């Protein structure tokens, strides 16, 4: 049979992808054939493009927001560093394990700063403010804290041998297991400070003076007059933390006549 026209024989449809379908038909003009693919976009393809646009827009907005926040945070940190703390009320500076030997930091603001395990030997911090600071395990041998505000500080296990605490304010400071051997404490105010009983007794042997800021006697602030409220040390010395009143003499020392001084 002669073929003067093109015969179109639909054979099969093949799915090329999830988003298009290829239909092919055989053309038989004389001795040749062709395959024609007609690509059809599906609704799912349009949905994908729509979501791609939405996600791209959201990511761009997130990047812009993050960048602006980073810039704002950098400005805030710079401001806090220049003003010695958030809104100027504290430094929050970090000096943990820092080497501060023989440095001079007089009349500076160290509120809420961290000096944990710092080496502060023979440094001069006279007149500086430390209230709320952390000084655990710091070594301040012969350091000068005269006139400094050390109120509400955590000074646990701190080395203060021969440190100068003249006229310093240590109200409510925590000095458990700290060593103040040979410290100069004339005029220092230890009101409501937490100090081990043995350390307190040692300080009472030579405590003198009155703090010029608070007007409190150093001996009275240490409880050297056997004030029952604060003469018994701290829980770090449980054996003597609450001894009977007759155990202590007038100056807060163990009375040998009781026979309890060597109790173990």
């Amino acid at each position: 049979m002669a073929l003067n026209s093109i015969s179109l024989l639909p054979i099969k449809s093949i799915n090329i992808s999830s988003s298009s379908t290829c239909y092919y038909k055989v053309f038989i003009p004389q001795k040749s054939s062709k395959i024609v693919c007609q690509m059809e976009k599906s609704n799912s393809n349009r949905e994908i493009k729509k979501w791609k646009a939405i996600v791209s827009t959201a990511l761009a907005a997130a990047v812009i927001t993050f960048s602006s926040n980073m810039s704002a945070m950098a400005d805030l940190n710079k401001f806090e560093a220049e003003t010695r703390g958030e809104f100027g009320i504290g430094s929050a500076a970090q000096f943990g394990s820092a080497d501060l030997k023989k440095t001079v930091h007089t009349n500076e603001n160290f509120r809420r700063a961290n000096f944990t395990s710092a080496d502060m030997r023979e440094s001069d911090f006279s007149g500086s403010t430390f209230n709320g600071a952390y000084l655990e395990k710091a070594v301040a041998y012969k350091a000068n804290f005269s006139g400094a505000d050390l109120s509400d500080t955590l000074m646990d296990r701190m080395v203060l041998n021969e440190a100068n605490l003249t006229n310093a304010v240590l109200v409510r400071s925590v000095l458990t297991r700290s060593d103040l051997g040979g410290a100069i404490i004339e005029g220092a105010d230890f009101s409501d400070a937490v100090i081990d009983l043995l350390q307190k007794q040692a300080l009472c042997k030579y405590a003198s003076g009155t703090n010029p800021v608070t007007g409190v006697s150093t001996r009275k602030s240490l409880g050297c007059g056997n004030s029952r409220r604060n003469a018994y040390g701290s829980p770090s010395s449980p054996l003597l933390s609450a001894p009977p009143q007759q155990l202590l003499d007038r100056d807060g020392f163990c009375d040998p006549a009781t026979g309890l001084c060597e109790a173990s």
Side-chain angles (χ1 to χ4, degrees), residues 136-245:
E136 308 101 301
K137 300 169 68 175
V139 179
Y141 170 73
K142 284 190 174 182
N144 183 6
F145 292 101
S146 59
D149 182 359
L150 291 157
S151 57
D152 299 297
T153 54
L154 184 56
M155 306 168 72
D156 179 67
R157 292 167 290 175
M158 188 175 179
V159 176
L160 288 161
N161 297 95
E162 300 182 40
N164 186 354
L165 297 171
T166 303
N167 296 330
V169 178
L170 296 100
V171 176
R172 296 178 300 276
S173 59
V174 178
L175 287 151
T176 50
R177 299 172 62 188
S178 293
D179 189 354
L180 288 85
I184 303 171
I185 60 171
E186 183 178 358
D189 185 356
F190 292 91
S191 297
D192 297 316
V194 182
I195 308 175
D196 294 332
L197 179 60
L198 295 178
Q199 184 69 82
K200 185 178 294 187
Q201 291 174 340
L203 295 176
C204 282
K205 291 180 179 180
Y206 62 92
S208 63
T210 300
N211 188 273
V213 176
T214 64
V216 176
S217 163
T218 299
R219 290 184 60 80
K220 183 177 180 180
S221 69
L222 284 169
C224 298
N226 197 23
S227 171
R228 187 175 179 81
R229 180 171 63 91
N230 59 358
Y232 298 135
S234 71
S236 61
S237 301
L239 180 63
L240 298 178
S241 60
Q245 188 172 6

Side-chain angles (χ1 to χ4, degrees), residues 101-152:
K101 292 192 299 290
K102 298 183 178 181
T103 56
V104 177
H105 298 281
T106 58
N107 301 307
E108 291 195 30
N109 183 0
F110 294 111
R111 287 187 178 95
R112 300 188 298 171
N114 177 24
F115 289 88
T116 301
S117 299
D119 188 348
M120 307 165 74
R121 287 176 291 178
E122 301 182 73
S123 297
D124 187 359
F125 291 96
S126 57
S128 294
T129 301
F130 288 88
N131 59 297
Y134 300 90
L135 294 98
E136 308 101 301
K137 300 169 68 175
V139 179
Y141 170 73
K142 284 190 174 182
N144 183 6
F145 292 101
S146 59
D149 182 359
L150 291 157
S151 57
D152 299 297

